[in-house]
Amino acid sequence: MSDLAALEQRAQAELAACGDEAALRAWHTKYFGKSGEVLQALKGVGAIPADQKRSYGQEANRIKQALTHAYEARLADAKQQALDRSLTAEMLDVTLPGRPMARGRLHVATKIMREITGIFADLGFQVYRSREVEDDLTNFELLNMPPHHPARDMWDTFHTTTPGVILRTHTSPGQIHVMRELCPEPIRVILPGMCYRYEQITTRSEIQFQQVEGLCVGESVAMTDLKGTIIAFARRLFGQERQVRFRSSYFPFTEPSIEVDIDWPKDDPNADRLTKGTGWLEIMGAGMVHPVVLRNGGYDPEQFSGFAFGMGTQRITMLKYAIDDIRQFWANDLRFLGQF
Ligand code: PHE
């Protein structure tokens, strides 16, 4: 009997000292496992003198129950404590709004391209793509610029290690490709794409930039068609109230050649700086397709005429959104790109 009392005391004391669930489980194995002390004590009843068997058995069972209850209470306690701890330590508030997924978007250069092609689509122009790696013949010669022609200085050129193979300096060589493909059909296309120039990179000029070329060829295409097309385009893109100005200019592949300006809203605080005080901003070069170019495309200039224009779309975007540094376009700075 005194052994039983000692066992209960010891087991209770050890139980009280258990710090966590693992210790409690070890305690349980020690006292209630297959060869645990409580079961041994219960089995020990066989060795007890007959007159004490009954009271011994009762006491052993009482101890077994008492310890079992104590153990279960401590185990439940330990589990609750562990839960409380993890709830405060790894606090998770399921009512908080989730983190939004960062969604991609179109690059501003792509957006403006789509806007421009959309406007010309409404005017009946199809999109025609042509190569960015060109030959000297198509980029210059067939556009009425023989080798050593001084007008070539207008286009500083990237040459490749293959003689005569260059990166196109403008989208105009596309005119030759379209004409040769479609001749003698009438043509009304735009040619968007990347161009390359071997230039000092500044806030206003990049070594790569996009252009949109336009070409219209038919039996009675006149300068007035060019003007009407450009005015319609400029007003769709920049606003119906825009004034458009045509200045005479020079390009080897058009005759006559013009440059096109739009007026800039006087109430824009940037107007003076942008237009250098003139109130006008250049948006493109254009003209009537030179007879030599028509002939190089397969068209008889006696029967056919045409107009062409070319604009730099980064420049146009800079005007539209008052962007002051062209280098932003390819700098991959999300703070810039995210604004569009
Ligand atoms: N290709 C010229 C340039 O890059 C622009 C232009 C295109 C001018 C078509 C006239 C006709 O500067």
Side-chain angles (χ1 to χ4, degrees):
M1 281 298 217
S2 64
D3 283 354
L4 282 181
L7 169 64
E8 182 180 16
Q9 258 186 21
R10 185 156 49 81
Q12 289 284 15
E14 282 177 25
L15 184 64
C18 286
D20 57 13
E21 199 182 321
L24 286 168
R25 295 207 182 278
W27 178 93
H28 191 258
T29 311
K30 179 175 175 191
Y31 289 99
F32 287 91
K34 267 200 192 108
S35 45
E37 292 188 39
V38 172
L39 296 186
Q40 294 304 322
L42 282 168
K43 279 185 199 153
V45 76
I48 300 296
D51 61 332
Q52 292 168 26
K53 263 194 173 54
R54 186 182 160 84
S55 54
Y56 180 93
Q58 278 176 346
E59 180 65 359
N61 268 315
R62 190 196 57 78
I63 290 175
K64 183 187 170 198
Q65 285 199 355
L67 288 178
T68 302
H69 280 139
Y71 168 74
E72 279 167 0
R74 285 293 321 272
L75 189 64
D77 229 45
K79 283 185 174 168
Q80 184 60 45
Q81 272 177 26
L83 181 63
D84 288 349
R85 255 197 311 276
S86 84
L87 279 180
T88 31
E90 307 149 33
M91 214 176 332
L92 173 72
D93 183 349
V94 293
T95 66
L96 284 174
R99 277 177 215 158
M101 287 253 283
R103 294 179 69 200
R105 65 175 74 209
L106 291 177
H107 193 285
V108 60
T110 307
K111 281 192 175 162
I112 203 88
M113 269 301 185
R114 291 193 179 179
E115 200 176 337
I116 292 173
T117 46
I119 294 170
F120 281 110
D122 289 349
L123 294 170
F125 285 76
Q126 287 182 294
V127 173
Y128 189 98
R129 295 188 178 277
S130 66
R131 64 193 63 170
E132 292 175 21
V133 179
E134 265 296 355
D135 51 18
D136 183 278
L137 184 72
T138 322
N139 194 83
F140 291 117
E141 270 190 69
L142 295 173
L143 292 174
N144 203 25
M145 278 177 278
H148 312 299
H149 192 289
R152 286 183 177 216
D153 286 352
M154 289 161 70
W155 295 276
D156 291 309
T157 309
F158 278 111
H159 296 267
T160 68
T161 45
T162 311
V165 176
I166 62 170
L167 300 184
R168 68 175 174 191
T169 58
H170 49 177
T171 41
S172 299
Q175 292 185 28
I176 301 292
H177 295 297
V178 185
M179 285 193 279
R180 291 190 169 178
E181 188 175 316
L182 298 185
C183 181
E185 296 298 318
I187 298 173
R188 212 191 290 169
V189 295
I190 56 168
L191 300 114
M194 198 64 84
C195 304
Y196 304 86
R197 284 188 202 169
Y198 184 53
E199 279 181 4
Q200 181 74 46
I201 297 175
T202 69
T203 52
R204 296 175 59 81
S205 62
E206 253 285 9
I207 56 172
Q208 78 173 75
F209 55 93
Q210 290 168 309
Q211 282 192 340
V212 172
E213 189 90 5
L215 177 69
C216 173
V217 177
E219 297 218 16
S220 54
V221 177
M223 187 86 178
T224 185
D225 300 313
L226 171 62
K227 291 172 78 173
T229 303
I230 289 175
I231 291 170
F233 164 74
R235 291 193 176 153
R236 277 284 298 276
L237 193 65
F238 289 104
Q240 285 306 317
E241 66 293 348
R242 288 280 71 74
Q243 294 298 305
V244 180
R245 180 172 84 167
F246 300 90
R247 279 181 289 115
S248 68
S249 182
Y250 170 75
F251 298 101
F253 32 89
T254 46
E255 178 59 32
S257 301
I258 58 171
E259 269 167 308
V260 180
D261 302 333
I262 55 171
D263 72 330
W264 202 248
K266 308 248 172 327
D267 50 341
D268 181 341
N270 295 314
D272 243 33
R273 185 176 55 83
L274 282 171
T275 70
K276 297 191 191 103
T278 65
W280 296 94
L281 271 167
E282 185 197 322
I283 57 165
M284 68 173 87
M288 301 306 292
V289 182
H290 196 287
V292 167
V293 177
L294 279 174
R295 203 174 293 118
N296 288 339
Y299 290 84
D300 176 3
E302 296 297 325
Q303 188 188 350
F304 289 93
S305 56
F307 68 74
F309 56 83
M311 64 188 121
T313 55
Q314 270 70 66
R315 222 186 115 70
I316 298 242
T317 313
M318 289 168 79
L319 295 180
K320 198 168 153 79
Y321 297 114
I323 298 165
D324 56 11
D325 190 341
I326 197 172
R327 293 171 297 187
Q328 293 281 11
F329 282 94
W330 319 128
N332 282 340
D333 185 338
L334 289 177
R335 291 169 301 179
F336 170 76
L337 297 174
Q339 295 176 54
F340 303 96

